[in-house]
Amino acid sequence: TLTAIAGSWNTVSSGLSTSAGIKTDGSLWTWGAGSNGMLGSNSILTTHRSSPVQVGTSSWTAVGGASLMMYAITSDNRLFGWGNNANGQLGNGNTNNACSPIQVLGAATWKQVAVGQQSIAAIKTDIKDADMTAQTLEDQLGVVTTIIAGIVGVLNAFAIVALIAAAFGIVNTLL
């Protein structure tokens, strides 16, 4: 049975056991597990929240969840994170867990956020403004795949030459 959560939503993101959503009015809401401060509600709960709880009073534009942390971008393009920070992944200069949103250090302007298992990748509008480009892991794997396909093509060509040579009895000359 599906249960609707009241309100009009712009975007929703999920971590391992916590979800977050931004309503059309820009308010940010979380629900699910509260361990490690994942709900961002200024308390480290050990119980689950089956209904949304509002996070802060800022207006938000983007949110991303991972296994034990969340990140969100405010309408003025500042990036905040909360939850598990054991490896410093919240980007605030320490390794303390955060039970409410804390701003990621740096003077960047943030536009999008994508969260992985224990890391964050956010696209800075500054990169585009500086006419710089970047390459993702997917792009790099595409280059490797192209190289491997080329090598396989060359090996297949040698196999065909070897078969033709064998058909004419000139195998020893290839060695």
Side-chain angles (χ1 to χ4, degrees), residues 73-84:
I73 299 174
T74 59
S75 59
D76 60 353
N77 301 315
R78 293 179 297 139
L79 179 63
F80 288 79
W82 62 94
N84 185 290

Side-chain angles (χ1 to χ4, degrees), residues 19 28 34 37 63 70 76 88 103 112 141 143-144 147 165:
S19 297
L28 176 62
V63 64
M70 289 279 180
D76 60 353
Q103 188 169 355
Q112 296 178 349
L141 289 176
V143 170
V144 171
I147 292 169

Side-chain angles (χ1 to χ4, degrees), residues 19 29 52 70 86 88 95 119 130 134 141 161:
S19 297
W29 300 77
M70 289 279 180
T95 56
S119 63
L141 289 176
V161 169

Side-chain angles (χ1 to χ4, degrees), residues 84-118:
N84 185 290
N85 195 28
N87 299 312
Q89 61 267 38
L90 294 181
N92 66 332
N94 65 50
T95 56
N96 301 324
N97 292 350
C99 58
S100 61
I102 54 173
Q103 188 169 355
V104 173
L105 297 176
T109 300
W110 303 89
K111 183 173 177 157
Q112 296 178 349
V113 63
V115 185
Q117 180 76 10
Q118 290 293 327

Side-chain angles (χ1 to χ4, degrees), residues 162 165 170-175:
I170 53 173
V171 173
N172 291 336
T173 60
L174 293 176
L175 301 175

Side-chain angles (χ1 to χ4, degrees), residues 14 22 26-27 32-33 39-41 52 70 81 87 98 131 139 172:
S14 284
I22 299 173
S27 60
L39 294 176
S41 61
M70 289 279 180
N87 299 312
D131 290 327
D139 296 333
N172 291 336

